[in-house]
Amino acid sequence: MQEDLNQKYSELDKKYYLQTFKRYPLTLKRGSGSHVWDVADKEYIDALAGIAVNSIGHCHPKVVKAIQEQAATLMHISNFYLSEPQVKLAEKLTKLSGMDRVFFTNSGGEAVEGAVKVARKYAHSIGRGGNVISFENCFHGRTLGTIAMASRKMQKGFDPMPEGFIQVPLNDLEAVKKVADKNTAAVIVEPVQGEGGINPCEKSFLKDLRAFCEEQDIVLIFDEVQCGMGRTGKMFAKENYDVQPDIITLAKALGGGVPIGAILSVEKVSSAIDFGDHGTTLGGNPLVCAAGLAAIEVIEDEDLLKQAREKYEWLKEQIKNMEEPSITEFRGLGLMIGIEFEFGTKPLVKEMMDRGVLANSTAENVLRLVPPLNISYDDLGKVVEVLKDSLKAVKENE
């Protein structure tokens, strides 16, 4: 009977939920660390971590305790007033990042939208226009403003698109220079592209881009929604490049599993914002900020940045030792890993799921692995073994 529950909930989902996700017929009911269980009590190793959200694992005791205590004390007050968790989290993030100001949001897409507003307000204050340059294969969210930065495929059916967005190839500074002019307000880039296939930027490109934006007084925005908060083996992905942007956007792992985003900005651009220029009702409420503080504490106390770097090297060696001819590239930073194959990876992901490992296919032929940073080597070894077995099964079914 339990085995039928996954199908039952899948049918209810198809009946009532807006059909915008191509979901697997899998209903998860609980999680602990790097493991989750479905309604039929089947156990899985979660190498996707809610798409890089559960970086400290599912239901980490410190985050659970922080949420429970805060929920019993104060959950929401509106931003007309201060809360202790919000003030403390703002202070923590600015000190960790070297930025000057924070604004809290509810999601990554909302953080990017807010970052564009801040950049445009600053640009207008110095007589520049409001155009924003983004990069091919980028992903910045699902709102109208964020899909306007992305591919035409994402924009299909949603015209008219917001104006003022221009896209150029990644790692191509000359392409940026060619389209940048007095109407350019900002350049937005993911230091490591996530949905685009786990594509780390070239270090020289980001350094040169920083210098160009500084020279032209163009706001440089790093979208670290997926690659920030320890995912790349540094608290912020920018640290891998030794580049300080003007604005950083965060979300995903920031809340340890609860929805919170953030805009971090330097004083130079922050000072352009006046009272009433931006706002949020739910963003930065005491509950999610308490969770965020606890999540950062776990990353620091458990030395998860070092763990992410070491586990990247270990995984890289394991994949290399497979000597799998269909693998064309292993890339990433920390535990933000893309394994590119000669074929589409969706069947591989389905086969891995059936064998008890959750992963993801992105950019058609890339297997994305973004497990919790504190995943055990034993679990990582099982992920590799399941990958091997799943590859064999997929090939046999061709």
Short mmCIF file of all heavy atoms in Angstrom, two decimals, residues 90 92 118 334 338 391:
data_model
loop_
_atom_site.label_atom_id
_atom_site.label_comp_id
_atom_site.label_asym_id
_atom_site.label_seq_id
_atom_site.Cartn_x
_atom_site.Cartn_y
_atom_site.Cartn_z
N ALA A 90 22.70 40.75 9.48
CA ALA A 90 23.23 41.82 8.62
C ALA A 90 24.68 42.12 8.98
O ALA A 90 25.55 42.26 8.11
CB ALA A 90 22.38 43.08 8.76
N LYS A 92 26.80 40.10 10.50
CA LYS A 92 27.62 38.92 10.19
C LYS A 92 27.98 38.88 8.70
O LYS A 92 29.14 38.65 8.33
CB LYS A 92 26.86 37.66 10.58
CG LYS A 92 27.65 36.36 10.39
CD LYS A 92 28.77 36.26 11.41
CE LYS A 92 29.45 34.91 11.36
NZ LYS A 92 30.56 34.80 12.32
N VAL A 118 19.09 48.78 -7.30
CA VAL A 118 20.16 49.53 -6.64
C VAL A 118 21.16 50.04 -7.68
O VAL A 118 21.58 51.21 -7.65
CB VAL A 118 20.88 48.66 -5.59
CG1 VAL A 118 22.10 49.40 -5.03
CG2 VAL A 118 19.93 48.26 -4.46
N GLY A 334 34.74 23.52 -5.38
CA GLY A 334 34.16 22.98 -4.15
C GLY A 334 33.18 21.87 -4.47
O GLY A 334 33.44 21.02 -5.32
N GLY A 338 30.01 19.78 -12.04
CA GLY A 338 29.35 19.39 -13.27
C GLY A 338 30.17 18.33 -13.99
O GLY A 338 31.38 18.50 -14.18
N LEU A 391 25.28 4.31 -15.27
CA LEU A 391 25.85 4.48 -16.61
C LEU A 391 25.77 3.19 -17.40
O LEU A 391 25.39 3.18 -18.58
CB LEU A 391 27.31 4.93 -16.50
CG LEU A 391 27.59 6.43 -16.50
CD1 LEU A 391 29.07 6.67 -16.17
CD2 LEU A 391 27.25 7.06 -17.83
#
